[in-house]
Amino acid sequence: MSLTQALNTAISGLNTAQSRIAITSSNISNVNTAGYSKKIAGQETLTLDGIGAGSQVADIYRNVNEGLVRELRVDLGKAGREEARFEFFQRVQTLFGTPQSTAAISQRINDLADAFEQLGVTPDQNSPRIEAIESAIQVMESFEKLSSQLQDMRDDIDDQITDEVNSANSLLSEIADLNTGIIRLKNLGQPTTELQDQRDQKLNELAKIIDITTFTRSDGSMVIYSANGANTLLDRTPSELTFTQTAGFEPGTGGSGISLGGTDITDTLRTGTLKGLFEMRDSEIPALNDQINELAGELRDAINEEHNKGTAFPPPANLSGNRTVATSDPLTATGAFRVAALDADGNLVATDSYADITLPTTPATVQGIITAINSSDAGTYLTASLVDNKLVIEGQNGNRVAINELDSQITTSDGRQQGMSHYFGLNDFIATAKSADTITSAPQSSSTTAIGATASSFTITAGSGVLVGGITVNYTATDTLENIRDSIRTALQGAGMTAAAAEETAFLVEDGDRFRLVIDYTANITINDSGTLATKIGFTEDQPNLAGNMNVAPAIQNDPSRIVRGQMNADTYATSTAVVDPNSAIPNLGPLVPPPLNYTLTVSGDFTDVNITYDSNTSLQDIADSINNSATLTDNNITAAVVFDSQIGGYKLNVVDADGDAFYFSDSGLPNADALTTVIGLGINFGVHEGDNSSALAISNAFERSDINFEAAGGLSGERTSLTDYAAGIVATAATKTQVAESSFEFQSNLVTDLSVRIQNEAGVNLDEEMSDLIIFQRAYTASAQVISTVEDMFDALLNAV
């Protein structure tokens, strides 16, 4: 080996040691730099014509475990999803409160129950009335707050989705630039490790936002996919994610999704913050709203059901309904209701100032009821009319008005049955807009999945337009929500509606990630289903925004005395005409004309009708015995007694329900003068007693009922329970979901931390190792320098010898 060769070899060793010292220096200086991976310079022998000529630095590479990195990115996406869910569930928890919180909706309802309980004990005092109103207002405000702030959260989520999409697009652009830099350096034979570190950092940030998989080409560039290869996010150039924010959320509405190249890819997301945000916006929060809506509706109905059975004291001058109706609206109704004109002391204005109206009327419409009231005996003392499309019953000449629903049942458009006053909202405590011109289904998870209802049909009728005659819609077990919508449209067109109008009448709306079928018409409609479809999809006239639109009736807020206390008398009856001998035939009682005929006195109530036949030979005692010998009536504690009344100078008949339950008489002999009720004057002799607190107690007892039928809503299964228990269940469910979200987030965060530690242990800089390497490289550098010095001395000796 020549001296020149030795010199060159030493120089190569010097350069190699210098390069490795530089790399070691870089490792040491970046020991605390996030995302920095240890760089390792390979070293190889330098040969010339097969002869060793020293050494050189080979490729510089990173000490990175790609398998662990891929696993980390998967867990980063899962952690991102759980973090987004936990953040908003924490807000839900704050909004709903804990089961022990005094501000929780369950506690507010408990407070309302306590207020009504006190009102039931002292209904004549003003303070309990005001307390009941204020407690009810707090409950209504809680419902409104829950409803509105849940929608505010959806707005906030939309803002976050926008930010995350923008971040993802920026990261994709930055990764694309890094790809370009890596390709350029690789073509120049330069190290690319620093750019790879930067790219890995960007990829980790992206993986937290949206689930990604990657593929590295031979030129060093990386291709990025989402949803396990379903969507290409970056291939040479980035594909832009687009998202349009919703202007404002309302209960029952949906928001837009993420698009890639014009295609919505929201449903393909598996992990990442975007997945968690969409789940909260479109699934979890709408489900919570469904639960609140269900509770609000049942609370309203439970209170209003009892409030409409009673009357205030003194009775009000008028009763004004909450339901928007038209005179032509058809009604499906049975039973009877009582309407009466009373004075300020609760007494009948006259013996004939009340009337029992039998349902259905002729015609069986809203106008039929108005006509029946105005043409009855009571019509002389009060009037019924529509004012602003709402039923109003008003006393004349200062008279007061009271109603007893008796056994009246009017079927709502969605199949519920309510008493006459409850149906029209004449005496509602909780006021809501009641209308049947828009019918909405419960949210369905899919619009294209078979509903599974037994094959049958339903009819849709209305009082005006093409639905006057009604349309029939057939369905099968395999029909989807879209099929039902299309079948309704077809039937509407068959009845004479244009295709465009039919599309505006029956349509689907998105509610988060669910779908609702809506039937929107220009008049109140009724749906009668002979099968199970209406029940399965939950047709209802209540809208998804019900909870945010309830309040204590303004008339009650302005006048607390309008809170009901007792009931219009329907449990105590007496005769007003004296009978001298109770065991002899009642004088003038018919029928008298042969052939022999019988009239029928029917006793009706919340039991099977009891018919009592009578003729011209029937005595007062016969009537009493017939009542007392009826097992149906005695089982319901209805008894009759013949008593002497000195004020009327003879015997009279008293009939009483000992339980205070309503019942009433109808006489087939009417309107003939020889009918029993006319001859002996059988009827009520008072309206409402001041000391009657039965209705106030009934409202209080409504909170103790454990048989209220709550429909399945928002992940809560249908059940029969009490208002307070269901409310507590909602609060507990929200608390449980928050705990689960927190636990899942902590679990995924710990996984990310563990993987990061494992990666850092392999790829991170170890100062002890670097210092050890530095000593080795320093010695190698010194040795190479010594060789150069030695060769230099040899060259000098050689030159001196010459």
Side-chain angles (χ1 to χ4, degrees), residues 21 24 28 38 766-780:
I21 288 172
T24 302
I28 292 173
K38 178 180 178 179
N766 185 307
L767 280 178
D768 291 338
E769 291 179 359
E770 298 303 317
M771 291 301 295
S772 177
D773 288 344
L774 188 60
I775 293 171
I776 294 172
F777 301 149
Q778 182 185 9
R779 289 177 178 175

Side-chain angles (χ1 to χ4, degrees), residues 354-377:
Y354 81 95
D356 292 343
I357 309 297
T358 301
L359 299 173
T361 57
T362 303
T365 62
V366 171
Q367 183 59 54
I369 287 183
I370 293 173
T371 301
I373 293 173
N374 291 335
S375 62
S376 70
D377 289 342

Side-chain angles (χ1 to χ4, degrees), residues 70 223 378 560 734:
R70 283 193 295 270
V223 182

Side-chain angles (χ1 to χ4, degrees), residues 91-126:
R91 291 179 58 178
V92 168
Q93 176 78 77
T94 302
L95 179 61
F96 278 61
T98 63
Q100 296 79 29
S101 172
T102 57
I105 185 66
S106 54
Q107 185 56 49
R108 291 286 174 86
I109 292 176
N110 272 324
D111 293 342
L112 179 59
D114 292 342
F116 272 115
E117 183 178 5
Q118 183 60 40
L119 179 63
V121 175
T122 55
D124 55 332
Q125 296 182 9
N126 201 45

Side-chain angles (χ1 to χ4, degrees), residues 221-522:
S221 65
M222 186 171 284
V223 182
I224 306 175
Y225 303 100
S226 174
N228 202 24
N231 310 308
T232 303
L233 298 176
L234 173 63
D235 186 1
R236 304 297 184 189
T237 58
S239 299
E240 185 179 12
L241 296 168
T242 58
F243 174 72
T244 303
Q245 284 190 245
T246 302
F249 283 96
E250 292 291 336
T253 61
S256 62
I258 290 179
S259 294
L260 183 67
T263 302
D264 193 309
I265 64 167
T266 311
D267 292 339
T268 68
L269 300 178
R270 301 176 304 171
T271 61
T273 54
L274 286 175
K275 176 66 172 178
L277 291 171
F278 277 114
E279 285 179 336
M280 292 303 299
R281 190 197 72 174
D282 296 339
S283 180
E284 299 290 357
I285 292 179
L288 291 170
N289 188 80
D290 289 344
Q291 295 170 14
I292 293 300
N293 235 40
E294 179 67 14
L295 174 61
E298 292 297 343
L299 176 71
R300 174 203 61 186
D301 289 345
I303 294 177
N304 285 347
E305 178 182 358
E306 298 302 332
H307 204 268
N308 276 281
K309 290 177 181 177
T311 187
F313 192 91
N318 62 74
L319 295 173
S320 182
N322 284 321
R323 179 176 290 276
T324 301
V325 293
T327 55
S328 59
D329 286 348
L331 298 176
T332 301
T334 60
F337 67 91
R338 176 169 296 165
V339 60
L342 309 177
D343 61 22
D345 295 324
N347 298 315
L348 291 170
V349 173
T351 57
D352 62 347
S353 67
Y354 81 95
D356 292 343
I357 309 297
T358 301
L359 299 173
T361 57
T362 303
T365 62
V366 171
Q367 183 59 54
I369 287 183
I370 293 173
T371 301
I373 293 173
N374 291 335
S375 62
S376 70
D377 289 342
T380 305
Y381 310 94
L382 52 81
T383 58
S385 61
L386 282 191
V387 178
D388 295 330
N389 293 107
K390 294 177 181 178
L391 179 63
V392 174
I393 303 176
E394 187 170 11
Q396 297 298 303
N397 301 318
N399 294 333
R400 308 300 182 94
V401 179
I403 282 184
N404 190 308
E405 292 184 319
L406 300 178
D407 62 348
S408 60
Q409 293 287 316
I410 299 179
T411 303
T412 63
S413 58
D414 49 17
R416 292 173 293 172
Q417 290 189 321
Q418 298 176 340
M420 180 269 184
S421 181
H422 189 191
Y423 175 82
F424 286 102
L426 291 170
N427 207 3
D428 281 350
F429 180 85
I430 298 177
T432 59
K434 300 170 74 173
S435 175
D437 56 0
T438 301
I439 303 297
T440 307
S441 77
Q444 308 297 307
S445 60
S446 172
S447 63
T448 57
T449 300
I451 297 169
T454 304
S456 189
S457 64
F458 62 87
T459 60
I460 307 175
T461 56
S464 62
V466 300
L467 292 180
V468 169
I471 60 171
T472 299
V473 180
N474 297 312
Y475 57 85
T476 67
T478 60
D479 276 348
T480 66
L481 211 60
E482 291 183 2
N483 295 145
I484 301 301
R485 174 202 62 192
D486 294 342
S487 296
I488 295 173
R489 289 175 174 176
T490 299
L492 289 170
Q493 292 179 59
M497 185 177 286
T498 66
E503 289 181 1
E504 293 178 356
T505 300
F507 53 90
L508 299 183
V509 296
E510 291 187 21
D511 182 357
D513 59 0
R514 299 93 48 86
F515 299 87
R516 294 180 187 265
L517 173 62
V518 179
I519 306 173
D520 188 15
Y521 193 60
T522 56

Side-chain angles (χ1 to χ4, degrees), residues 77-217:
K78 293 178 180 178
R81 170 180 177 265
E82 298 302 336
E83 182 179 6
R85 289 170 59 86
F86 178 45
E87 175 189 347
F88 281 94
F89 268 125
Q90 281 183 303
R91 291 179 58 178
V92 168
Q93 176 78 77
T94 302
L95 179 61
F96 278 61
T98 63
Q100 296 79 29
S101 172
T102 57
I105 185 66
S106 54
Q107 185 56 49
R108 291 286 174 86
I109 292 176
N110 272 324
D111 293 342
L112 179 59
D114 292 342
F116 272 115
E117 183 178 5
Q118 183 60 40
L119 179 63
V121 175
T122 55
D124 55 332
Q125 296 182 9
N126 201 45
S127 178
R129 298 175 192 161
I130 295 175
E131 179 64 27
I133 292 172
E134 290 302 319
S135 293
I137 289 174
Q138 285 190 347
V139 172
M140 301 305 110
E141 288 177 347
S142 293
F143 277 127
E144 193 280 330
K145 178 181 177 182
L146 289 171
S147 179
S148 64
Q149 292 200 11
L150 285 174
Q151 304 314 310
D152 289 344
M153 282 189 205
R154 298 178 77 191
D155 276 328
D156 293 344
I157 290 173
D158 247 26
D159 291 340
Q160 285 200 23
I161 291 173
T162 299
D163 292 341
E164 293 294 86
V165 168
N166 290 338
S167 295
N169 284 329
S170 295
L171 288 168
L172 287 169
S173 295
E174 291 170 5
I175 294 170
D177 291 340
L178 290 169
N179 272 346
T180 301
I182 289 171
I183 293 172
R184 182 179 60 81
L185 290 177
K186 191 168 185 178
N187 289 337
L188 295 173
Q190 298 296 314
T192 62
T193 53
E194 300 298 340
L195 294 183
Q196 287 177 293
D197 278 352
Q198 293 178 37
R199 186 173 66 183
D200 279 354
Q201 284 294 95
K202 302 299 181 184
L203 286 167
N204 289 345
E205 292 178 40
L206 183 63
K208 186 177 180 181
I209 298 173
I210 187 171
D211 55 310
I212 61 171
T213 54
T214 62
F215 166 74
T216 304
R217 287 196 170 94

